[in-house]
Amino acid sequence: MTIIETPRLLLRRLTLDDAEFIFGLVNQPSFLEFIGDKGVRTLDDAREYLLNGPIASYEAHGFGLYLTSLKQDGTPIGMCGLVKRDALQDVDVGFAFLPEHWSKGYALESAAAVLEQGKNAFGLKRIVGIARPDNRGSIRVLEKLGMTFEGRVQILPEGPEDVLYGIDFSKRAASSRPESRRAAP
């Protein structure tokens, strides 16, 4: 069942039937370098990742990472969605795509739709994004989403330091309202 539809993409909840795709995605060299090793070595590991990650998140929060596929033919190309991590105060937007689908605007298109869903369907006032400091592609996406650099954060005690970007919808709404004008006396 489609959760989000954009001009070129369909986003739906991940299921155990997506284990083979997830196995391939999370073992891409770029995923391992920029996101990290999820310890998925077999299809059973991929099912476990799905159960304990996205599927558990749907149950706990109503949102999670979604399978992202091309609307044109249904080809799965990556995942994008909202993640609530214990290490972060705010919900963050996450995305990962197969390298052959990079630089086509899919990350921006899907992440923008996910931000809208977070704001409108879940009432989130603020969403953040994290990336490795050398992941220029993801940082560009976060900036194009209107997020601003806020500092550095370490998600795992033994993990690397990431850059943190954020967007505050309540501040954006307030700053985009026209100022009230009083008539001159």
Side-chain angles (χ1 to χ4, degrees):
M1 181 177 83
T2 299
I3 301 291
I4 297 174
E5 184 173 330
T6 72
R8 300 180 298 161
L9 304 170
L10 299 173
L11 284 75
R12 67 160 172 81
R13 287 184 172 192
L14 286 153
T15 70
L16 294 180
D17 292 336
D18 298 310
E20 191 172 333
F21 174 76
I22 289 300
F23 175 81
L25 179 66
V26 303
N27 284 297
Q28 288 291 317
S30 55
F31 190 101
L32 295 167
E33 177 184 358
F34 292 126
I35 297 173
D37 187 347
K38 301 300 181 187
V40 176
R41 305 288 182 261
T42 66
L43 286 179
D44 283 340
D45 291 343
R47 289 183 196 93
E48 202 65 29
Y49 169 84
L50 288 165
L51 280 172
N52 295 326
I55 294 171
S57 182
Y58 306 146
E59 295 299 316
H61 308 293
F63 56 75
L65 291 168
Y66 301 126
L67 180 81
T68 304
S69 59
L70 297 175
K71 186 189 282 189
Q72 166 188 355
D73 61 10
T75 301
I77 62 169
M79 61 182 170
C80 181
L82 297 172
V83 180
K84 180 59 189 115
R85 301 174 201 271
D86 292 338
L88 293 175
Q89 181 178 344
D90 299 296
V91 170
D92 77 279
V93 62
F95 46 87
F97 291 86
L98 294 171
E100 59 266 30
H101 298 287
W102 291 0
S103 301
K104 296 179 181 176
Y106 296 138
L108 180 60
E109 185 174 328
S110 58
V114 164
L115 288 184
E116 282 300 309
Q117 182 200 42
K119 180 175 77 168
N120 297 329
F122 297 106
L124 299 175
K125 303 290 183 224
R126 179 173 153 72
I127 298 176
V128 297
I130 56 173
R132 298 278 163 88
D134 58 341
N135 188 347
R136 292 301 313 151
S138 290
I139 291 170
R140 271 193 305 278
V141 170
L142 296 175
E143 290 171 344
K144 286 180 180 180
L145 290 168
M147 293 186 165
T148 55
F149 176 76
E150 295 183 351
R152 293 181 179 263
V153 63
Q154 194 165 357
I155 301 298
L156 299 172
E158 70 282 358
E161 198 173 60
D162 292 319
V163 291
L164 176 72
Y165 282 73
I167 186 167
D168 188 326
F169 298 116
S170 59
K171 286 182 183 175
R172 284 186 66 153
S175 67
S176 65
R177 282 188 219 126
E179 292 189 35
S180 59
R181 299 182 191 271
R182 286 194 300 174

